[in-house]
Amino acid sequence: MLFLLAGIPFILAQGPVKVFGKIVDNIGEPMIGVSVLEKGTSNGVITDIDGNYSLFVAEGATIAFSYVGYLTQERKAVAGSLNITLKEDAKTLDEVVVVGYGVQKKSSVTGAISQVKAEDMQNRTISNAQAALQGKTAGVQVIQTSAAPGSSPTIRVRGYSSNAASSPLYVVDGVRMSDISGLDPNDISSMEVLKDAASAAIYGAEAGNGVILISTKKGKVGDGKITYDVQYTVQSLARIPKMLNSEEYINYMVEGSTFTKDYLLDNWDGTTSTLWSDVAFEKSQMQKHNLAFSGGSDKGNYYLSLTYLDNDGIVKGNSDTYKRMTSTVNAEYQIKKWLKVGTTNQIEKYNVRTVSSNNEYGSLLTSILQLDPLTPDTYTSENLPQNMLTALNDGKHLLQDKNGNYYAVSKFLANEQYHPMIMRDNNIGKNSGFNVNGSIYGDLTPISGLTLTSRFGYRLSGTRSSTTNLPFYGNAVQSRDYVEYNSQSSTTIYYQWENFANYVKHLDLHTISAMVGMSYQESTYDYAKGSLSANGEDAVKKNDPLFYYLNYGSASATKAVEGEKTRSAKMSYFGRIGYDYAGRYMLQASLRADAADLSQLPLTNRWGYFPAVSVGWTVSEESFFAPLKNQINSLKLRASWGQNGSLSALSGYPYSTDMSSNGIYPFTLENSYITGATPSTMGNDELKWETSEQINIGFDARLLRDRLTFSLDYFNKKTKDLLVWNTTPSLAVGGSTSPMNAGDVSNKGWEFELGWRDHVGTFNYSVRANLATLKNKVTYIDPSITRIVGTKFHTNYVTYFEEGHPVYYFRGYKFAGVDSATGEPTFADLDKSGGLSDGDMTDIGDAIPDFTYGITLTAAWKGFDLTVFGTGSQGNDIFNCINRPDYAASNKLKKVFYDDRWTTDNTSGAKPRAGATLMDRYQLSDALVYDGSYFKIKQIQLGYTFPKQWLKKIFVNNLRIYGSLDDFITFTSYPGFDPEAAASTTSGMGVDKGAYPSSKKVVFGLNIEF
């Protein structure tokens, strides 16, 4: 569509006078493709290869001369020659980005910083800020363990750096945050991703996994504005895996001797072929409303907003819902010429309900992929099968739908997976909470160039959760006879106080900048938890929602209570100096010193020091570059080195020497025993920070009069001193070893960002693309440890952390094909032992992609606008851990087990025969590891903005309507629900145990401004 529109012939309007001339830039070079338009009409042309134009217009009309990256000029039309010199738009050239404790001109940045702007988040169906980063900038990957309403993805910046968590630090308006899921994207002005160590090092011990700086919106100088954005979305299941239908299921079960054909036919009605995804899922709705007020003057500004989100997930009913109310209150005021004060505040209140997923021992999402198709959805009370009648007569609780029909209990499968609607209704889970984040700050400017800032930031949060486990009968091995109840409440109070000074001095062509400051952080967390367990009768006095509280426990209930309070704190000093000569040569250096409290590190090692340095050279400012200036407007080379730290694995006094009670001993002659104590951990006074050291080399270029932008970065990040448990000491007297700094990880790769923007007359378009490669490897682990175990599937671990392999790679058997004589799977005998053993297990894949990418296309013409956005991942693997080998009767993914299987009529089949004796090994082999590469078109949005002259009569400044298809198209060969599956964000990356899948969305929206 974009190319077709770009090829529309230009219309040459006729008028009473002819205006012609030449358009050049500020250095006298002719400008090709400048738009020359008679204002208020569609009559226009573009300049030719020599910068010339010719246009017939009405005499006295206004002609607008415009070009991307240059200031638009308007002139009155007079017959004859009219030459124009366009000047560069200084605002474009001097665009600023947020850096730690300040801002910096983009042209002066020497680190690797990517920016995501408000327009990248507007009018999308994302409910959290993390999702806005996916596909929008190179080197940032989103890991999603669930797409359920209220869930939050996890961000990885430049790889996977630790055997513990590798999440970045979030800083919102200067306040550190561990989670930004409650921050509404509508209220975000920009997000800066500090990717290299030099740009992130100012945050020291918290920046080892990257830093994401978020700035919320502020009011602008001018008349006050009122904006209202509304969005209505219809959601449905995006991809439906192909399972065995009834005929295929019968064939497979009979072939494997799991059931006889007579048994299956006797217990099947002959017509039922249940598609359990249809039973569990339905179309659902999401709505979002955002109302904002903003304004400002030369003295101050304000921004106030209120957002309401109501998302009902695609599981039938209201058991997967997310409701959230958020508000932002930002304001600042120039009290004196030398004093500005301000405040930022974000308030969130939420309620969320979830269904079980990602669990081989019983989850609603996994049951959809395991239940047999012979069992119907429901039975009426008149046609209950014998197995359900027996359960009912035994006093079991059979659950019913809203019409009074009983949810079916399978006659063929009895395990932890049962009817998804019984799983939905056998408990009532409620989660709610609030978050209040913000800051109050003052900027004091005693002399020109010096700004002293004092900022107090805070974060208050509280959560409440409860689960009422109700009586139910799922099958012979999964039932509950009585009500049980548990509840928990927690509170977190965090505050930080930071004082820092920024100084800038201009001396002719020299610019010197300096920043120095200190920071203190303190956080406390406390919780209280109680439970009522059944003991021969309901644990509450009555099975009624009015009694689902701890206060109404029955006399026989087993009662439990627990709770505690924890505290952590950190003290820091930091500084940065910078030098810039004529915008040509740039240098920055920083140092941060962080001290942890005793709950994290011993007194001897509590301080960590994190230096960084970066340099830049704007080659295009050199005199020898002048001949290329018209083609390459700007070229800047960058290089940086720095060290950052990580706190992710430090908590709970890990270095301490501990004792524990262990056994009883008769130390006297009498019949008296004394409880003994033994060392439980050996202690480690040399424990220290994890440290990430990174080198970055890159360049930024603007070409063809700023229409083309291109940046490239190469990074090499080495994380050392990882915390490792269970090392084997040479000598030990009882107990286990404490964690040691005994592991290293390497991440290296290339990042590319490309942008093109231009217009042809009134048709504007742009293309932005990014791509990032990644090579990850564990380079060292303590020699006493062969490997660290990760995520388990049933009785076997499937991911491991081991030297010479990617972080938490898949380890299993190499499938060597099917024995054509027996149909049994065979495996490579790697250790030449003559049989299958642990020595035959090897690297069979990993979840880390070779590269990730994203592309955004935009176009606009006469009020219409189009956005197409897609993102993808290539080279990552998925371990399909849906079917446990100990339950042969469960249904199967058709592509995984049924298609091209070995049978007596197909002895060359690539899949083992049904009921093969080595299926437990087969499901731990690379036969179940799939290519998880995908490309998702996340957004196709078409909008229309009404002409302003139509709106003035109703006192409206702007009105836009739009429709969008979000997450509608996915290209992947993975046979499961979603190629973005993960059991956990660290050790369970790429392990699919039945994650809540993504939904496709049809969106209708409106933006109005008064």
Side-chain angles (χ1 to χ4, degrees):
M1 180 177 180
L2 293 173
F3 288 111
L4 287 173
L5 289 173
I8 295 175
F10 308 123
I11 300 172
L12 299 176
Q14 300 298 315
V17 298
K18 179 181 180 181
V19 182
F20 59 90
K22 187 173 186 176
I23 302 178
V24 298
D25 60 16
N26 57 334
I27 60 174
E29 293 290 334
M31 297 185 66
I32 309 166
V34 175
S35 173
V36 183
L37 182 68
E38 182 180 358
K39 196 172 181 182
T41 73
S42 58
N43 177 33
V45 295
I46 61 173
T47 56
D48 61 20
I49 194 170
D50 297 315
N52 296 318
Y53 74 95
S54 177
L55 182 67
F56 286 93
V57 296
E59 188 171 5
T62 300
I63 304 176
F65 303 87
S66 60
Y67 193 81
V68 173
Y70 288 76
L71 295 171
T72 298
Q73 290 193 33
E74 295 182 356
R75 299 289 183 85
K76 291 292 183 182
V78 293
S81 175
L82 180 58
N83 296 323
I84 298 294
T85 299
L86 289 183
K87 297 180 179 180
E88 291 181 320
D89 187 351
K91 290 183 179 179
T92 300
L93 298 176
D94 294 336
E95 182 182 4
V96 299
V97 295
V98 178
V99 296
Y101 304 100
V103 296
Q104 197 171 11
K105 285 200 306 182
K106 202 167 187 179
S107 59
S108 300
V109 169
T110 52
I113 301 176
S114 291
Q115 187 177 53
V116 178
K117 297 182 180 180
E119 52 262 34
D120 293 309
M121 295 170 270
Q122 288 175 345
N123 304 319
R124 293 186 61 191
T125 51
I126 54 176
S127 59
N128 55 65
Q130 295 100 314
L133 291 166
Q134 186 175 26
K136 292 297 184 180
T137 182
V140 176
Q141 186 185 358
V142 173
I143 300 175
Q144 180 175 277
T145 58
S146 172
S151 62
S152 298
T154 298
I155 301 297
R156 293 288 181 263
V157 177
R158 288 189 167 178
Y160 310 81
S161 302
S162 178
N163 56 322
S166 296
S167 297
L169 170 68
Y170 300 101
V171 181
V172 180
D173 294 326
V175 180
R176 289 163 180 76
M177 306 270 284
S178 58
D179 182 23
I180 56 171
S181 57
L183 184 62
D184 193 83
N186 275 75
D187 296 327
I188 296 175
S189 174
S190 70
M191 291 194 287
E192 274 81 12
V193 184
L194 311 184
K195 296 186 290 188
D196 69 323
S199 57
I202 201 65
Y203 290 102
E206 299 167 282
N209 299 310
V211 180
I212 298 175
L213 304 180
I214 299 176
S215 301
T216 57
K217 291 180 179 178
K218 294 183 178 181
K220 298 179 180 179
V221 175
D223 295 335
K225 292 181 180 180
I226 304 172
T227 60
Y228 174 61
D229 301 327
V230 60
Q231 200 176 74
Y232 178 78
T233 303
V234 178
Q235 307 172 111
S236 58
L237 184 61
R239 299 180 73 243
I240 301 176
K242 290 185 178 180
M243 309 300 297
L244 304 187
N245 61 28
S246 291
E247 182 181 349
E248 294 163 339
Y249 180 82
I250 290 172
N251 290 340
Y252 195 84
M253 294 300 133
V254 172
E255 288 174 17
S257 300
T258 305
F259 300 106
T260 65
K261 191 167 186 176
D262 289 343
Y263 177 83
L264 292 172
L265 295 179
D266 289 345
N267 288 279
W268 178 47
D269 59 15
T271 59
T272 295
S273 186
T274 304
L275 188 62
W276 289 100
S277 57
D278 287 347
V279 172
F281 297 113
E282 65 180 355
K283 287 186 176 180
S284 64
Q285 292 76 44
M286 177 172 66
Q287 58 176 310
K288 183 179 179 181
H289 304 265
N290 175 263
L291 179 64
F293 308 86
S294 63
S297 66
D298 57 349
K299 284 287 190 180
N301 61 75
Y302 62 90
Y303 175 83
L304 314 172
S305 77
L306 185 66
T307 303
Y308 174 71
L309 173 69
D310 185 353
N311 186 3
D312 183 3
I314 56 177
V315 173
K316 286 184 178 178
N318 61 352
S319 291
D320 59 331
T321 58
Y322 179 49
K323 296 182 180 181
R324 185 183 73 194
M325 182 81 76
T326 57
S327 178
T328 296
V329 180
N330 293 345
E332 60 182 11
Y333 194 78
Q334 193 79 39
I335 295 179
K336 301 288 184 181
K337 289 183 179 181
W338 44 268
L339 179 61
K340 180 173 69 176
V341 297
T343 183
T344 62
N345 303 272
Q346 297 90 41
I347 305 164
E348 174 199 12
K349 175 68 177 72
Y350 66 88
N351 289 273
V352 60
R353 294 193 64 192
T354 60
V355 295
S356 55
S357 64
N358 247 338
N359 194 328
E360 67 268 41
Y361 296 111
S363 73
L364 187 151
L365 272 299
T366 311
S367 72
I368 295 167
L369 301 175
Q370 290 204 1
L371 288 181
D372 63 90
L374 308 184
T375 301
D377 176 17
T378 59
Y379 290 105
T380 64
S381 57
E382 292 79 17
N383 69 343
L384 283 179
Q386 188 58 49
N387 64 322
M388 295 180 67
L389 280 173
T390 300
L392 198 61
N393 293 332
D394 289 343
K396 299 297 183 182
H397 297 265
L398 301 184
L399 301 188
Q400 298 169 281
D401 66 11
K402 60 183 179 181
N403 297 318
N405 298 321
Y406 288 93
Y407 293 123
V409 175
S410 174
K411 307 172 191 175
F412 314 102
L413 182 68
N415 64 0
E416 292 92 338
Q417 316 293 352
Y418 45 96
H419 198 296
M421 297 297 96
I422 299 179
M423 286 191 169
R424 181 196 66 181
D425 295 343
N426 69 5
N427 71 84
I428 302 173
K430 296 180 180 180
N431 294 277
S432 63
F434 69 89
N435 290 285
V436 182
N437 317 301
S439 67
I440 181 171
Y441 60 89
D443 291 339
L444 178 67
T445 310
I447 59 174
S448 177
L450 176 63
T451 302
L452 308 176
T453 300
S454 184
R455 178 169 58 211
F456 179 83
Y458 63 91
R459 184 173 71 245
L460 313 174
S461 63
T463 64
R464 292 181 297 179
S465 63
S466 67
T467 301
T468 307
N469 294 314
L470 301 172
F472 77 97
Y473 182 80
N475 54 43
V477 298
Q478 289 293 308
S479 65
R480 185 185 304 116
D481 295 328
Y482 305 108
V483 179
E484 297 181 336
Y485 179 81
N486 63 74
S487 179
Q488 177 174 324
S489 295
S490 67
T491 304
T492 300
I493 300 176
Y494 165 88
Y495 72 88
Q496 65 181 55
W497 185 34
E498 297 182 316
N499 299 280
F500 53 95
N502 277 284
Y503 181 70
V504 178
K505 182 68 175 178
H506 301 282
L507 299 170
D508 195 17
L509 297 178
H510 306 271
T511 300
I512 300 171
S513 61
M515 187 273 295
V516 64
M518 60 77 63
S519 173
Y520 176 77
Q521 305 168 51
E522 183 172 317
S523 179
T524 58
Y525 168 79
D526 65 87
Y527 77 96
K529 182 178 181 180
S531 64
L532 301 171
S533 300
N535 188 7
E537 61 178 352
D538 287 343
V540 294
K541 291 181 179 178
K542 187 177 182 181
N543 187 358
D544 185 287
L546 294 176
F547 290 83
Y548 296 160
Y549 298 96
L550 291 172
N551 274 355
Y552 300 106
S554 62
S556 62
T558 302
K559 302 176 179 65
V561 63
E562 60 180 274
E564 67 174 336
K565 180 178 180 179
T566 61
R567 172 188 175 275
S568 64
K570 188 160 73 73
M571 185 75 175
S572 309
Y573 299 96
F574 49 85
R576 179 175 57 216
I577 58 172
Y579 172 74
D580 184 315
Y581 175 74
R584 190 181 307 168
Y585 310 116
M586 291 148 281
L587 168 69
Q588 277 206 350
S590 67
L591 176 66
R592 182 171 180 123
D594 287 306
D597 67 23
L598 292 178
S599 69
Q600 297 170 324
L601 288 174
L603 187 63
T604 52
N605 279 346
R606 67 191 310 174
W607 281 97
Y609 302 91
F610 305 97
V613 62
S614 61
V615 294
W617 176 28
T618 307
V619 185
S620 55
E621 293 299 312
E622 300 290 355
S623 58
F624 64 77
F625 200 85
L628 299 173
K629 191 77 171 179
N630 199 41
Q631 287 75 37
I632 305 176
N633 307 100
S634 175
L635 176 62
K636 180 177 64 178
L637 306 182
R638 297 177 280 102
S640 69
W641 170 89
Q643 291 185 338
N644 305 135
S646 176
L647 293 164
S648 60
L650 295 172
S651 64
Y653 302 88
Y655 59 90
S656 62
T657 302
D658 301 323
M659 304 289 286
S660 62
S661 299
N662 189 5
I664 55 175
Y665 301 90
F667 285 111
T668 62
L669 295 176
E670 295 81 12
N671 191 18
S672 176
Y673 294 87
I674 298 174
T675 301
T678 60
S680 57
T681 57
M682 298 174 61
N684 179 10
D685 287 338
E686 297 182 1
L687 196 67
K688 59 183 179 181
W689 311 88
E690 291 184 0
T691 301
S692 175
E693 182 173 294
Q694 185 176 172
I695 295 173
N696 190 95
I697 301 172
F699 72 82
D700 305 309
R702 292 186 285 112
L703 303 89
L704 304 177
R705 293 194 174 89
D706 293 333
R707 287 179 294 178
L708 177 65
T709 58
F710 180 68
S711 67
L712 180 147
D713 282 275
Y714 170 77
F715 69 91
N716 189 339
K717 180 166 67 170
K718 298 178 180 179
T719 305
K720 55 187 179 180
D721 300 326
L722 300 185
L723 264 69
V724 175
W725 280 259
N726 300 321
T727 55
T728 303
S730 57
L731 294 172
V733 181
S736 304
T737 58
S738 295
M740 296 173 58
N741 298 101
D744 297 348
V745 172
S746 169
N747 289 276
K748 59 180 69 173
W750 296 85
E751 296 172 352
F752 307 85
E753 294 194 359
L754 178 71
W756 173 268
R757 58 175 184 164
D758 202 359
H759 64 87
V760 180
T762 58
F763 176 70
N764 297 276
Y765 67 97
S766 72
V767 180
R768 287 185 294 131
N770 65 79
L771 184 146
T773 70
L774 180 64
K775 186 174 181 60
N776 171 275
K777 183 184 288 187
V778 178
T779 56
Y780 172 76
I781 194 170
D782 188 86
S784 67
I785 297 178
T786 303
R787 60 186 66 93
I788 299 172
V789 297
T791 292
K792 212 173 189 180
F793 173 51
H794 190 34
T795 58
N796 296 277
Y797 287 98
V798 293
T799 66
Y800 292 83
F801 185 93
E802 182 178 356
E803 184 175 335
H805 299 271
V807 167
Y808 290 111
Y809 74 101
F810 304 147
R811 185 171 183 266
Y813 299 103
K814 280 282 187 182
F815 176 56
V818 176
D819 186 330
S820 60
T822 64
E824 287 288 333
T826 63
F827 307 92
D829 184 10
L830 300 180
D831 63 358
K832 308 301 180 184
S833 63
L836 278 181
S837 64
D838 186 72
D840 298 319
M841 300 186 77
T842 186
D843 187 337
I844 58 174
D846 64 88
I848 299 176
D850 296 328
F851 63 88
T852 55
Y853 58 98
I855 183 168
T856 303
L857 311 175
T858 66
W861 180 69
K862 293 186 176 180
F864 290 97
D865 62 86
L866 174 71
T867 300
V868 180
F869 164 54
T871 184
S873 173
Q874 185 68 36
N876 55 296
D877 298 315
I878 299 178
F879 207 144
N880 187 281
C881 294
I882 299 296
N883 287 89
R884 276 172 45 185
D886 54 331
Y887 287 117
S890 63
N891 202 359
K892 306 290 189 289
L893 285 162
K894 190 171 184 294
K895 182 178 178 180
V896 176
F897 292 99
Y898 190 82
D899 292 344
D900 196 25
R901 72 194 184 283
W902 186 96
T903 65
T904 54
D905 297 326
N906 182 32
T907 57
S908 62
K911 310 286 175 59
R913 67 176 177 86
T917 56
L918 292 178
M919 289 303 287
D920 57 338
R921 299 292 188 268
Y922 182 74
Q923 293 194 256
L924 291 175
S925 74
D926 60 351
L928 272 293
V929 175
Y930 289 86
D931 181 8
S933 303
Y934 69 88
F935 176 67
K936 287 188 175 184
I937 300 180
K938 304 288 287 185
Q939 184 181 49
I940 306 173
Q941 184 178 115
L942 179 65
Y944 179 72
T945 301
F946 290 87
K948 292 188 181 295
Q949 57 266 31
W950 297 4
L951 305 175
K952 290 180 180 178
K953 299 177 182 179
I954 56 173
F955 307 102
V956 174
N957 291 340
N958 190 68
L959 176 62
R960 178 179 179 269
I961 58 174
Y962 63 92
S964 184
L965 301 178
D966 287 9
D967 298 296
F968 226 78
I969 302 172
T970 299
F971 300 96
T972 184
S973 61
Y974 180 61
F977 270 123
D978 194 336
E980 293 189 81
S984 67
T985 58
T986 302
S987 65
M989 298 179 298
V991 177
D992 186 3
K993 295 185 178 183
Y996 192 109
S998 298
S999 59
K1000 58 184 180 182
K1001 307 171 184 70
V1002 180
V1003 188
F1004 305 94
L1006 177 145
N1007 314 124
I1008 187 169
E1009 179 186 299
F1010 299 94

